[in-house]
Amino acid sequence: MSVEVVYQWSEDCPGAVLRELDDVRVLTDVVTMDGDTIPAGTEGTVVAVWRGGEAYEVEFPEPMGALATVGASNVAFAGRPVP
């Protein structure tokens, strides 16, 4: 996905199901912005919410700093940081 498309999707929306810093698990294989494949079942952290929760920017621990834009139907809530 291009940076321009991601920018158009970006929007601050408090009504989204998931929030920034929530832990999620991907339900399908996803491809990172660098072209790496993240297998289904991998956990990551939401770092941005796009279009009110239509998609999420998720950071994965491996490879280090891997980012992928994942549709809402392809992620499941896995936890929330304790304040």
Side-chain angles (χ1 to χ4, degrees), residues 3 6-7 13 15 21 27 32 35 40-42 44 47-49 51-53 56-57 61-63 72 74 78 82:
V3 173
V6 170
Y7 179 76
C13 185
L21 303 181
L27 303 176
T32 68
T42 302
V47 294
V49 178
R51 294 191 77 144
Y56 300 93
E57 194 71 26
E62 295 293 328
N74 293 324
V82 178

Side-chain angles (χ1 to χ4, degrees), residues 6-63:
V6 170
Y7 179 76
Q8 289 173 1
W9 273 25
S10 67
E11 180 177 309
D12 182 19
C13 185
V17 174
L18 298 172
R19 303 184 301 201
E20 289 183 4
L21 303 181
D22 281 352
D23 292 326
V24 294
R25 185 175 76 273
V26 291
L27 303 176
T28 61
D29 291 353
V30 296
V31 177
T32 68
M33 293 181 176
D34 292 330
D36 297 310
T37 299
I38 304 294
T42 302
E43 289 193 9
T45 302
V46 174
V47 294
V49 178
W50 306 130
R51 294 191 77 144
E54 288 181 27
Y56 300 93
E57 194 71 26
V58 180
E59 182 176 20
F60 299 94
E62 295 293 328

